[in-house]
C-alpha cells in the first residue's frame, strides 16, 4: 500500500513537471519579430522541435534544436547551411502577461545586448523576398 502511494505521487510529480515545460514551450511556438531600433531586425520562428533565426534582411538563417525552462531558452547545434556555428547557445527571456511580447538576451550578456520581440503572424522577411 505504501509503495503504491509513492508510485502514484512520483507519477503525479513527473506529470506536473512535464506539463510545465510543455506550457513554456507552447508559449514560444510561433514567429517573433524584434522591434528595437538599436540593432538589425531579427525573426525567431519556434517550431515544436526546432527554431530558425533570420536576420540581415533574411540573408542569414540558422537552425537549431531547442529546450526551454521558466527563464532560459537553450539552443543546441546552431547551424547555418551545413556548418555548425555553435554547439550550445543560451538566452535569458521573459514574457509579458499576455505572452505576446518577449524580452530576450544572450545568457551572461550585458544589459545592452537585449532585444524586445513581439509575436507576429508572418515572418517579416518572407514578404521581402
Amino acid at each position: 500500500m505504501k509503495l503504491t502511494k509513492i508510485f502514484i505521487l512520483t507519477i503525479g510529480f513527473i506529470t506536473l513537471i512535464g506539463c510545465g515545460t510543455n506550457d513554456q514551450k507552447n508559449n514560444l511556438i510561433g514567429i517573433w519579430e524584434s522591434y528595437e531600433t538599436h540593432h538589425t531586425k531579427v525573426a525567431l520562428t519556434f517550431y515544436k522541435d526546432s527554431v530558425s533565426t533570420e536576420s540581415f534582411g533574411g540573408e542569414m538563417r540558422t537552425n537549431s534544436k531547442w529546450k526551454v525552462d521558466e527563464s532560459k531558452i537553450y539552443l543546441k547545434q546552431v547551424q547555418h547551411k551545413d556548418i555548425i556555428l555553435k554547439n550550445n547557445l543560451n538566452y535569458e527571456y521573459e514574457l509579458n502577461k499576455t505572452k505576446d511580447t518577449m524580452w530576450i538576451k544572450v545568457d551572461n550578456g550585458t544589459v545592452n545586448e537585449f532585444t524586445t520581440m513581439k509575436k507576429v503572424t508572418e515572418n517579416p522577411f518572407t514578404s521581402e523576398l
Side-chain angles (χ1 to χ4, degrees), residues 4 7 10 16 18 20 22 26 34 72 100 103 109 111 122 124 127:
T4 304
F7 179 74
T10 303
L16 284 175
N22 286 338
N26 287 335
S34 65
K72 291 189 181 176
D100 62 356
W103 177 86
V111 174
E122 71 178 51
S127 60

Side-chain angles (χ1 to χ4, degrees), residues 42-54:
V42 175
L44 296 174
T45 306
F46 288 92
Y47 302 97
K48 183 178 177 183
D49 59 352
S50 64
V51 62
S52 67
T53 305
E54 295 177 75

Side-chain angles (χ1 to χ4, degrees), residues 90-105:
N90 302 328
Y91 290 96
E92 296 174 32
Y93 82 100
E94 188 175 323
L95 294 174
N96 68 347
K97 288 183 182 184
T98 56
K99 297 180 182 12
D100 62 356
T101 303
M102 172 173 46
W103 177 86
I104 185 170
K105 77 175 189 78

Side-chain angles (χ1 to χ4, degrees), residues 101-119:
T101 303
M102 172 173 46
W103 177 86
I104 185 170
K105 77 175 189 78
V106 175
D107 193 18
N108 296 320
T110 68
V111 174
N112 296 330
E113 296 175 328
F114 74 94
T115 300
T116 305
M117 306 187 90
K118 60 184 174 180
K119 199 165 200 179

Side-chain angles (χ1 to χ4, degrees), residues 51-56 58-65 76-87:
V51 62
S52 67
T53 305
E54 295 177 75
S55 59
F56 300 110
E59 301 271 329
M60 174 70 169
R61 181 179 179 157
T62 63
N63 293 299
S64 57
K65 298 176 195 253
K76 185 175 182 178
Q77 295 179 335
V78 179
Q79 67 181 55
H80 173 64
K81 298 182 181 176
D82 292 333
I83 300 167
I84 294 186
L85 302 174
K86 280 197 154 291
N87 284 322

Side-chain angles (χ1 to χ4, degrees), residues 34-41 116:
S34 65
Y35 63 89
E36 302 290 344
T37 58
H38 64 275
H39 59 75
T40 305
K41 185 190 302 189
T116 305

